[in-house]
Amino acid sequence: METKIIVIRSDREELSLEEEAGLREAGEVIKNGGLVAFPTETVYGLGGDALNPESSKKIYAAKGRPSDNPLIVHIGRLEDLDLLTDHVPEEAEKLAAAFWPGPLTMILEKSRKVPYETTGGLDTVAVRMPSDPVARKLIAYSGGYVAAPSANLSGKPSPTVARYVIEDMMGRIDAIVDGGEGEIGLESTIVDLTVAPPQILRPGYITGRMLEDALQAPVETDVTILKDDSGQAPKAPGMKYRHYAPKGDLVIVEGTSEQVISYINERAAADMAAGGKVGVIATGEQASRYRASVIKSVGSRRDENSIAKHLYTVLREFDDEGVTQIYSEGFDTDGFGQAIMNRLLKAAGHKVVRL
Ligand code: AMP
Ligand code: MG
């Protein structure tokens, strides 16, 4: 299959005529049952018509994703929620008012219009309204309902730049909208509103505290988010797969800065002596203190947003560079940090050294 690349380089709010025409064409592709990868404020999505079961099947095939792992339906207007569910709970209205458009996915009871192919056989549907203007335009041109998981091959980190979408999806889908780098860099927060109290199934930029503030009521968090989930099934089917896994063997090292630096340097020296190529995921503050084959600064310890934005790219770069072992500093698990550690722990298969 030939994959068309549609490049967007203008300010996202003011597209050129050519870019606008490209998105319109991409929307037609989705309407006609095809697949288009596109940027959002979280990560790149792989979009198909959410109401067309054949499109959802194609998404699973293109990603190599198990078909029990449901897709998130992306909409552009609040009123479009009514087709996806027969019951919009009061909490959904409050959370939509506070966080949509934005990086929050809500789980609701699905209506009969939503095919089981899209929900992985579940009676619930995941819905999000993205804020990225390019994503919003594409959704409008596509007929309003775009099912989109992250645009990576199953088992690879979610792509935050078009380069990695192209690497994974070239020849497998109809088109890729290259719209630069996403603002947030980690997937949306998922909150299940079909249970009481609401429960966070996947942490993201919108934190539990932000949800509680908006609802003025307690919100729970799936216990498997920061723990090894081998003994307990996570509630979001996709969270049970070992996503985001780099090729190198990743270990997270926690302790004081001095402990972490000396432990990683010792291990790196031993691994390199044994012929390994060792990578370190460091914060900018202490990157210069490591001795290893490749040291990458993922962001500043004082700016969690910068860490989230670069984490997946750093993991992909280590794959490209053929690193055999990776050591990463650990991060606080407060607020947005919980999402960062959740992804890092999954990438590491929960291998953590606590000093
Ligand atoms: P991705 O689109 O790659 O970010 O993955 C979507 C995530 O949303 C996966 O972890 C899914 O398991 C989760 N998800 C989607 N729909 C539902 C649902 N109805 N109930 C629970 N989790 C869901
Ligand atoms: Mg994904």
Side-chain angles (χ1 to χ4, degrees), residues 199-323:
Q199 192 174 39
I200 296 175
L201 307 188
R202 178 172 75 184
Y205 181 78
I206 308 290
T207 63
R209 197 162 314 141
M210 289 160 78
L211 296 174
E212 288 186 336
D213 282 349
L215 292 173
Q216 290 295 309
V219 171
E220 286 182 352
T221 299
D222 184 351
V223 293
T224 64
I225 279 173
L226 290 177
K227 288 204 309 206
D228 186 340
D229 49 30
S230 46
Q232 203 161 355
K235 306 247 169 33
M239 299 293 275
K240 71 174 177 277
Y241 297 105
R242 182 171 173 253
H243 278 173
Y244 329 119
K247 289 180 197 147
D249 190 31
L250 170 61
V251 176
I252 303 166
V253 185
E254 293 185 335
T256 65
S257 299
E258 294 309 316
Q259 285 173 326
V260 170
I261 291 165
S262 64
Y263 178 88
I264 291 180
N265 284 344
E266 265 170 44
R267 290 298 304 264
D271 292 340
M272 288 189 292
K277 183 169 178 183
V278 180
V280 177
I281 301 178
T283 45
E285 286 83 352
Q286 48 200 58
S288 68
R289 300 195 51 204
Y290 293 102
R291 301 288 169 261
S293 317
V294 193
I295 295 138
K296 290 190 189 288
S297 168
V298 66
S300 165
R301 197 160 275 283
R302 268 163 282 148
D303 177 10
E304 284 178 333
N305 294 359
S306 68
I307 296 171
K309 190 165 169 171
H310 300 122
L311 180 64
Y312 286 145
T313 299
V314 164
L315 290 175
R316 288 254 187 181
E317 285 172 356
F318 279 134
D319 280 357
D320 295 344
E321 291 164 30
V323 164

Side-chain angles (χ1 to χ4, degrees), residues 46 62-63 150-159 162-173 176 316 320:
L46 173 55
K63 277 182 68 83
S150 50
N152 52 286
L153 286 175
S154 201
K156 292 242 207 164
S158 299
R163 177 156 70 94
Y164 293 124
V165 182
I166 293 170
E167 195 173 293
D168 283 9
M169 291 297 154
M170 203 65 184
R172 302 176 74 91
I173 60 177
I176 296 171
R316 288 254 187 181
D320 295 344

Side-chain angles (χ1 to χ4, degrees), residues 99-148:
F99 304 112
W100 277 3
L104 178 69
T105 296
M106 300 188 220
I107 308 289
L108 304 166
E109 305 291 347
K110 89 170 189 68
S111 74
R112 291 173 59 184
K113 296 263 170 51
V114 184
Y116 281 113
E117 284 79 359
T118 300
T119 67
L122 298 177
D123 288 314
T124 53
V125 60
V127 191
R128 176 165 109 82
M129 187 192 292
S131 62
D132 183 289
V134 172
R136 297 175 62 76
K137 276 231 159 89
L138 179 66
I139 293 166
Y141 285 135
S142 303
Y145 300 92
V146 176

